[in-house]
Amino acid sequence: MTDTPVVLAVEDVTIDTRPAGAKPIVRNIGFTVREGETVCIVGESGSGKSVTSMAVMGLLPKDALQVTGGRILLDGEDVLQASPARMRALRASKVAMVFQEPMTALNPVKTVGAQIDEVLRLHTRLPAAERRKRVLDMMERVHLPDVEKLYARYPHQLSGGQRQRIVIAMALILRPRLLLADEPTTALDVTTQKQILHLIKELQEQEKTAVVFVTHDFGVVSEIADRIVVMNRGDLVETGTRDQILSAPQQDYTRMLVSSVPSLIPRCDPPEPKSPKVLEVIGLLKRYGNKGLMRDSSFVAAQGISFTVRKGEITGIIGESGSGKSTVARCVMRLTEPSEGAVVLNGQDIVPLANLRGVRKQVQYIFQDPYRSLNPRRTIGQSLMEGLVNYGVPEAEARRKAAETLEMVNMPAAVMNRFPHQFSGGQRQRIAIARAVVMEPDLLIADEAVSALDVTVQAQVLKLLEDIRTNTGVSILFITHDLRVAAQICNTIVVMSRGRIVEQGPARDVLAWPAHAYTKALIDAAPAPDWDFQNFRPAQKAL
């Protein structure tokens, strides 16, 4: 690939705050991307990955950040010297960006067709009919179904994978020379993620587009990267080909990053059959809408769901988006009313109960996004004490318990007077876990609790959950689409597809010897299923 032209050259770029701080946040970063090449920038949160890509796009917030040194050459043109009008012309036509969260990137009050058309309307002089034809052609190229109908729909009417395809269509409709993809698959399930990665690769091969892919997921990196750039706290740590970095990383930080990727090899034993049942779900069904005599407008989100969680057991429910995982979790918590079936908690069916005060103390929920689940106007101490005080614990005792629980999740008690925005994502998730654990529940429900975290923080939170389970004996219902995470932490696996359980059993059996075709497809869709990142070598099959 050394004979192909260089599309992007980042030369000794330094990025600082405005006004300048004591130390620049990105320091002397340099790398190149050639035509048709994929370069992955990897690192933990706060490493400077996204800031660097925003600098290439000319999208740094002018009142907060500034490039204070170096050059960014796009086909030989220094974009740092370009006027605002020139940068607007370059965006979409020569460089485009796919953001992590398509619902944030898309306008909720415009149809998706109109949003793709807007790119053509602003950057070309094509008539409306020709623009519509190009938009529909592009929607078909990103493998969207029934494009005429989707053209007139709004973002909220599409699935997560379809929304991400719309964002990719917007980015590529003018055939840019460079595509910047900032964590575009982080929140997607494994099968949708595989489709999006294949799509980007397919379009790249057709157009010879240079791709900069920003991610913390080494599984994704192993699938798509030609070369890898490793960053840590604003510094470039190491660069090399994919095989060099994954098989023989030279720097300790890179070795730590790669080895933090969870293995697909199950490592937890099945629960003891004599352990008491904490949760038993029997014949659960959840139907939305109405089922009348003349017309059935109902939608069945989950049906025939039966499984057991024993004391001290971590049971994982895995499946694609829309499989019914979160619906089951919400029914167990009685945040959603089951339509049929029983949810037996410590021997009592809680479905008929009108007063749930006792249930709320026994079952606690850990949500995916701690920033949204923590009240931004309450201090950490207030959030942790609230449940205890509501159940009659004296305030002084509640404060003591909150401080002890923070120490349990490896957070100092001194942070109790701070607010959620003053913490990193990983720290906020620890606080959310502490808020659940402080109630001393019998069952924790963790709904995609680590899916948005980078690999090192994810590993820390998984170890934390295991430690809490070991120290307190709490049972955990763990909802995830990440099979690597499930393999590391779950004793038992329940596999769901389209609202039904297709397979369940000990994790070591389900993941090592899947019996159902859907489970096999999920495992095959996981990035680099045959690679053992922790030992920098191909995976050994579990015995």
Side-chain angles (χ1 to χ4, degrees), residues 305-375:
I305 305 299
S306 298
F307 62 89
T308 298
V309 184
R310 296 183 179 274
K311 183 173 176 60
E313 179 184 7
I314 300 181
T315 296
I317 303 183
I318 64 175
E320 298 172 280
S321 297
S323 62
K325 308 185 300 294
S326 293
T327 296
V328 170
R330 294 175 71 84
C331 286
V332 168
M333 185 72 181
R334 286 285 306 275
L335 295 177
T336 297
E337 294 297 323
S339 303
E340 294 177 16
V343 177
V344 182
L345 184 67
N346 290 325
Q348 180 184 25
D349 184 2
I350 66 171
V351 171
L353 296 182
N355 187 346
L356 295 172
R357 183 174 174 81
V359 173
R360 292 287 179 253
K361 191 174 187 303
Q362 294 178 65
V363 186
Q364 289 290 304
Y365 210 102
I366 304 168
F367 294 92
Q368 177 175 353
D369 185 353
Y371 197 70
R372 287 196 292 179
S373 64
L374 292 170
N375 189 330

Side-chain angles (χ1 to χ4, degrees), residues 35 51 57 76 92 100 166 198 262 290 296 326 330 336 371 456 530:
E35 189 178 83
V51 169
M57 283 291 291
Q100 177 176 351
I166 292 294
H198 178 74
N290 299 312
D296 185 0
S326 293
R330 294 175 71 84
T336 297
Y371 197 70
T456 50
D530 299 324

Side-chain angles (χ1 to χ4, degrees), residues 58-297:
L59 292 177
L60 291 177
K62 299 196 182 308
D63 59 339
L65 297 174
Q66 58 184 331
V67 179
T68 58
R71 300 192 302 169
I72 300 176
L73 304 178
L74 181 62
D75 277 338
E77 180 180 356
D78 189 353
V79 300
L80 298 178
Q81 304 302 318
S83 66
R86 178 58 180 160
M87 275 310 303
R88 284 194 296 272
L90 288 174
R91 291 188 199 113
S93 61
K94 272 206 170 184
V95 57
M97 194 163 187
V98 177
F99 295 93
Q100 177 176 351
E101 177 46 66
M103 267 306 269
T104 304
L106 293 170
N107 189 330
V109 298
K110 279 191 173 183
T111 64
V112 294
Q115 293 186 62
I116 303 174
D117 176 74
E118 186 176 26
V119 179
L120 291 175
R121 183 169 53 81
L122 293 176
H123 292 274
T124 72
R125 296 184 177 180
L126 293 172
E130 178 62 21
R131 293 201 309 269
R132 181 182 174 86
K133 181 177 181 301
R134 285 206 186 183
V135 171
L136 293 174
D137 287 345
M138 192 67 216
M139 290 173 72
E140 287 183 348
R141 286 186 65 195
V142 297
H143 306 301
L144 283 164
D146 205 352
V147 295
E148 288 281 357
K149 285 186 178 178
L150 285 186
Y151 185 99
R153 288 186 178 170
Y154 292 88
H156 73 273
Q157 296 174 303
L158 276 60
S159 70
Q162 288 175 333
R163 286 194 291 264
Q164 197 60 285
R165 288 169 190 268
I166 292 294
V167 173
I168 292 170
M170 290 175 66
L172 295 179
I173 194 162
L174 288 178
R175 300 182 176 181
R177 293 275 289 152
L178 175 67
L179 176 67
L180 301 169
D182 190 359
E183 303 273 16
T185 62
T186 296
L188 303 178
D189 58 60
V190 287
T191 48
T192 306
Q193 175 180 269
K194 186 174 183 178
Q195 293 165 4
I196 295 296
L197 294 176
H198 178 74
L199 170 63
I200 291 174
K201 194 70 177 176
E202 177 186 304
L203 296 171
Q204 178 188 29
E205 289 172 354
Q206 292 172 4
E207 304 292 345
K208 303 297 181 188
T209 309
V211 175
V212 174
F213 202 100
V214 176
T215 185
H216 63 252
D217 189 335
F218 267 97
V220 170
V221 168
S222 67
E223 295 275 325
I224 66 169
D226 295 306
R227 289 188 298 115
I228 299 172
V229 175
V230 182
M231 292 183 66
N232 179 31
R233 297 183 181 181
D235 292 316
L236 192 151
V237 174
E238 186 173 355
T239 63
T241 66
R242 174 183 58 188
D243 293 342
Q244 288 170 345
I245 297 295
L246 295 184
S247 300
Q250 299 300 303
Q251 301 298 319
D252 289 342
Y253 178 76
T254 310
R255 294 180 67 84
M256 182 273 292
L257 267 188
V258 177
S259 62
S260 294
V261 180
S263 170
L264 262 174
I265 302 170
R267 65 181 192 84
C268 295
D269 293 327
E272 287 291 333
K274 294 181 181 178
S275 299
K277 297 177 182 178
V278 172
L279 173 69
E280 190 173 9
V281 177
I282 305 168
L284 182 72
L285 180 143
K286 177 57 186 176
R287 177 186 291 112
Y288 293 97
N290 299 312
K291 188 175 182 180
L293 293 175
M294 302 296 293
R295 182 170 171 267
D296 185 0
S297 61

